[in-house]
Amino acid sequence: MYRQRLKQKALLLVVLFGFLVFLLMPGISEKPDQDTPEEGERLEIPEEEEEDDGAFVPEEIWEMPGADAKIRVLILGENGGIYHETKELEKEYPGELQYYEEKQGWVIINEVPLEEYLCRVVPSEMPSSYAIEALKAQAVCARTYAVWQMREYAYPQYEAHVNDSTSYQVYNQIGIQETTSRAVEETKGQIMLYEDSPVKAYYFSTSCGSTTDENIWEKGDREQTQYIAGRRVGDSESNRDLTDEEVFSEFIRKKHPGDLEISEPWYRWSCYVPLGQIRENVEKWAKARAERSQDGILLEDGVEYVLEEVDMIGEVESAEILSRNTGGVVQEMRIIGEEGTLKIKYEYNIRLMLGVPGGEIQKNDGTMGEGGNLLPSGYFVMEPVQEDKTLTGYQIYGGGLGHGAGMSQNGARVLAEEGCGYDEILQYFYHEIRLAVLE
């Protein structure tokens, strides 16, 4: 019995030894090549490893609103108000049109899928001839801004999120273009996030070489929108304080090599504003703006400025800049009249008070442009002009076109022409943002 058990153990050892030799033979027990799936196994390539054209693909998902969300746009009438005389519109609109009959006329709402809306916003806001990466940056900005606005209704009684004007985003002013639709499609669903929320993706036409922050508006709060921090737009790393009057005056009177938009027509401009024109502007706009503001138009009362009904301040005697915001944009100015003194705050109000409707503005390239109700930007200095030792007006030296916060569209174009991708352009103008995709 013992010998029999011994034979069995010996036989077992032989079998185990043979199996061990089999395992150690080269090439037999190697793991399958990682690129070769085992029998019955499906080979799945992770999304980030798929072959593509180098396009940036965000990994983060944003759920509200969903990818199929619809935006409700109030279509303004010919006079800029919300009412239309008839239900007939001159242009065709995608999606669904809804009509509300009021005593003053018809209110028309266009409910349209977000991506279709963008196909008519992007060409209306940026020339379709711009480089594709600039158009894609614009598409992401427009989509992000729309998503931010869709959190609530601008016109609750009609459940409309926005209107179709520059007060929000220009919509359907120019029809669908191939390049802009491509930009929308190639960035489909992509928005910018900062921390845990979509950003207020402000943008404007042309910078003077610097941008500003949200405090240029009455309800702006730079602490809540730190991604719009203001920056020099170009190669300059100067840390000069452009809120200082002397520093900014030197800055805006020169052209700075390395500024992205140094060749743009509106990079630098100048115009003459007579005192009489300032008075007309005050009489036309001050009361209306004061009624819409908490502290944008204030009347001097002793040593204080108070919010009162602004009527007229008589002949304008002088005007002066009181303070500047980030990047050098004018934040406050004072207009002194024979019958009162006004403090004007925030860039839009200030630009209205110094507008030159019917006047001329000399642009950076030497050509003359027609003035309008608004000064081209709030980045300017004022130089007194006298005749026979009497102040008659101001020669204004300025730069840029638009409010100056967020992305400069012409700056984006230049960056795209230099080879930057749309994600790099967005990172350039918006501080510490990241991209996500609507789901």
Side-chain angles (χ1 to χ4, degrees):
M1 179 68 69
Y2 173 80
R3 290 182 178 179
Q4 185 176 359
R5 290 180 179 176
L6 187 62
K7 288 181 181 179
Q8 290 176 345
K9 290 182 179 179
L11 181 61
L12 179 61
L13 289 173
V14 170
V15 172
L16 290 174
F17 178 78
F19 183 72
L20 179 63
V21 171
F22 176 80
L23 290 176
L24 294 176
M25 289 179 65
I28 298 298
S29 63
E30 288 182 0
K31 294 181 180 180
D33 192 321
Q34 292 182 355
D35 293 331
T36 306
E38 296 179 359
E39 183 70 23
E41 178 186 5
R42 179 180 177 182
L43 179 63
E44 295 185 357
I45 302 175
E47 182 177 347
E48 61 270 19
E49 295 180 9
E50 290 182 357
E51 290 188 7
D52 57 32
D53 58 0
F56 177 79
V57 180
E59 297 179 354
E60 190 168 352
I61 300 298
W62 185 259
E63 296 182 351
M64 293 295 290
D68 298 327
K70 295 181 179 181
I71 187 169
R72 290 174 60 84
V73 187
L74 187 145
I75 308 301
L76 294 179
E78 294 181 359
N79 62 355
I82 69 173
Y83 301 108
H84 299 255
E85 293 183 3
T86 70
K87 297 169 62 176
E88 301 299 323
L89 294 173
E90 295 182 359
K91 301 176 182 177
E92 293 185 359
Y93 288 84
E96 179 184 356
L97 290 174
Q98 298 176 3
Y99 306 92
Y100 299 83
E101 188 174 11
E102 307 284 5
K103 292 181 179 180
Q104 301 93 324
W106 292 93
V107 176
I108 304 177
I109 305 297
N110 183 202
E111 184 174 85
V112 57
L114 179 57
E115 297 300 312
E116 291 189 42
Y117 167 75
L118 295 171
C119 285
R120 288 164 173 79
V121 168
V122 178
S124 299
E125 290 282 5
M126 178 179 277
S128 60
S129 60
Y130 277 20
I132 187 62
E133 293 301 310
L135 293 173
K136 288 161 72 173
Q138 177 65 61
V140 175
C141 284
R143 185 182 294 106
T144 307
Y145 185 80
V147 166
W148 192 85
Q149 292 292 341
M150 289 169 70
R151 300 176 310 160
E152 57 186 31
Y153 296 121
Y155 301 89
Q157 63 273 44
Y158 307 112
E159 295 186 342
H161 302 104
V162 296
N163 67 40
D164 61 349
S165 77
T166 55
S167 296
Y168 296 91
Q169 297 187 114
V170 180
Y171 168 60
N172 209 29
Q173 180 173 308
I174 295 178
I176 289 178
Q177 305 293 312
E178 181 179 352
T179 53
T180 51
S181 292
R182 173 189 165 193
V184 172
E185 176 61 28
E186 292 185 4
T187 62
K188 186 175 182 179
Q190 295 184 28
I191 62 171
M192 288 182 285
L193 301 179
Y194 178 81
E195 295 183 346
D196 298 323
S197 300
V199 309
K200 296 181 186 178
Y202 297 121
Y203 52 87
F204 63 100
S205 173
T206 307
S207 84
C208 68
S210 71
T211 64
T212 189
D213 58 46
E214 198 192 25
N215 277 23
I216 55 173
W217 295 299
E218 182 170 354
K219 297 181 180 179
D221 183 354
R222 66 165 68 99
E223 297 303 318
Q224 299 298 318
T225 55
Q226 295 185 33
Y227 46 85
I228 303 177
R231 63 160 299 152
R232 286 284 281 113
V233 183
D235 296 335
S236 174
E237 298 296 330
S238 173
N239 292 321
R240 292 189 302 168
D241 181 10
L242 295 180
T243 65
D244 180 270
E245 192 65 29
E246 290 187 7
V247 172
F248 182 79
S249 180
E250 180 184 359
F251 168 81
I252 201 67
R253 292 172 185 267
K254 294 181 180 179
K255 299 180 183 182
H256 305 278
D259 281 1
L260 286 183
E261 294 148 287
I262 192 170
S263 299
E264 289 298 311
W266 290 106
Y267 169 74
R268 291 289 180 268
W269 49 264
S270 65
C271 63
Y272 173 65
V273 184
L275 294 180
Q277 181 63 64
I278 298 176
R279 175 180 177 173
E280 290 181 18
N281 295 341
V282 169
E283 293 176 351
K284 182 176 182 179
W285 299 112
K287 182 177 180 180
R289 296 301 297 176
E291 291 174 348
R292 299 179 58 180
S293 171
Q294 293 296 317
D295 68 343
I297 309 289
L298 301 175
L299 188 65
E300 186 180 55
D301 183 11
V303 295
E304 298 181 345
Y305 287 91
V306 297
L307 181 64
E308 291 185 0
E309 183 175 336
V310 178
D311 192 2
M312 297 183 184
I313 60 172
E315 295 292 336
V316 172
E317 296 179 342
S318 65
E320 62 178 326
I321 294 168
L322 298 178
S323 68
R324 296 184 181 277
N325 191 37
T326 302
V329 64
V330 177
Q331 187 74 359
E332 296 179 318
M333 70 175 297
R334 177 164 51 212
I335 299 177
I336 301 174
E338 289 180 338
E339 302 172 17
T341 297
L342 294 178
K343 178 186 283 188
I344 314 296
K345 299 176 64 175
Y346 312 117
E347 65 91 30
Y348 189 87
N349 292 334
I350 291 168
R351 291 166 65 193
L352 274 176
M353 299 307 153
L354 297 176
V356 284
E360 290 187 328
I361 300 177
Q362 182 170 331
K363 295 187 284 187
N364 187 45
D365 57 5
T367 62
M368 302 301 294
E370 183 177 349
N373 290 329
L374 284 173
L375 206 61
S377 82
Y379 297 82
F380 63 86
V381 293
M382 303 170 65
E383 186 175 286
V385 175
Q386 295 185 338
E387 293 182 9
D388 298 328
K389 298 183 180 181
T390 300
L391 181 68
T392 59
Y394 293 91
Q395 187 68 30
I396 296 183
Y397 299 93
L401 180 63
H403 52 68
M407 184 183 77
S408 165
Q409 293 168 307
N410 279 310
R413 175 185 59 78
V414 174
L415 288 173
E417 291 172 351
E418 292 178 351
C420 291
Y422 74 97
D423 54 313
E424 296 174 289
I425 295 171
L426 296 172
Q427 293 285 351
Y428 185 92
F429 286 106
Y430 302 96
H431 184 62
E432 294 184 350
I433 56 93
R434 63 190 189 278
L435 294 182
V437 180
L438 299 177
E439 183 177 65

